[in-house]
């Protein structure tokens, strides 16, 4: 039997409710998160934009590139820069995260029920 290496990135739908808070303010609330697990990085939850208070966020000037996901756009609050990011046009293998946001766990409170 041939050994098959584990993929670098795996996606896992969550059935749990996920809430993102900044202080007491709820920024996102969903029952439709995807957990992205990438070797060498902590798991990240990607939430649908429809479940994020996008009107509270503004697009940042920060843009990064990941060879395994594509180019990301960052989002900020007035007093918290780059609290979230999104791959609007990810590479083909990562299309499931298109239109979803992940949040920086050091800048927000993440609640999973």
């Amino acid at each position: 039997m041939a050994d098959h290496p584990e993929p670098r990135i795996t996606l896992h739908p969550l059935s749990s409710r996920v809430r993102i808070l900044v202080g007491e303010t709820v920024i996102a609330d969903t029952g439709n998160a995807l957990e992205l697990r990438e070797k060498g990085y902590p798991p990240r939850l990607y939430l649908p934009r429809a479940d994020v208070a996008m009107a509270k966020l503004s697009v940042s000037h920060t843009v990064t590139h990941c060879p395994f996901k594509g180019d990301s756009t960052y989002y900020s609050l007035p007093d918290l820069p780059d609290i979230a990011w999104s791959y609007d046009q990810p590479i083909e293998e990562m299309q499931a995260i298109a239109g979803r946001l992940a949040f920086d766990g050091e800048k927000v409170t993440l609640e999973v029920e």
Side-chain angles (χ1 to χ4, degrees):
M1 248 175 123
D3 288 313
H4 296 286
E6 289 185 36
R8 178 179 177 85
I9 297 174
T10 58
L11 296 170
H12 307 271
L14 291 184
S15 58
S16 304
R17 180 180 182 194
V18 175
R19 291 178 6 132
I20 305 293
L21 296 99
V22 174
E24 306 267 327
T25 303
V26 176
I27 299 296
D29 189 341
T30 189
N32 188 21
L34 279 178
E35 183 180 60
L36 183 143
R37 298 178 195 159
E38 182 174 3
K39 288 182 181 180
Y41 294 94
R44 300 289 186 189
L45 299 180
Y46 281 79
L47 287 61
R49 282 179 198 255
D51 297 336
V52 176
M54 294 301 295
K56 295 181 183 204
L57 300 173
S58 61
V59 176
S60 164
H61 294 291
T62 304
V63 176
T64 60
H65 176 78
C66 171
F68 307 106
K69 294 186 283 290
D71 294 329
S72 64
T73 301
Y74 282 73
Y75 295 85
S76 301
L77 288 172
D79 56 347
L80 278 174
D82 299 341
I83 67 164
W85 61 91
S86 176
Y87 292 90
D88 298 329
Q89 296 180 358
I91 65 170
E92 187 175 326
E93 293 83 6
M94 291 288 112
Q95 285 300 308
I97 65 171
R100 293 174 172 265
L101 272 75
F103 286 83
D104 184 335
E106 295 182 10
K107 297 180 180 181
V108 300
T109 301
L110 177 86
E111 294 180 348
V112 180
E113 298 176 1

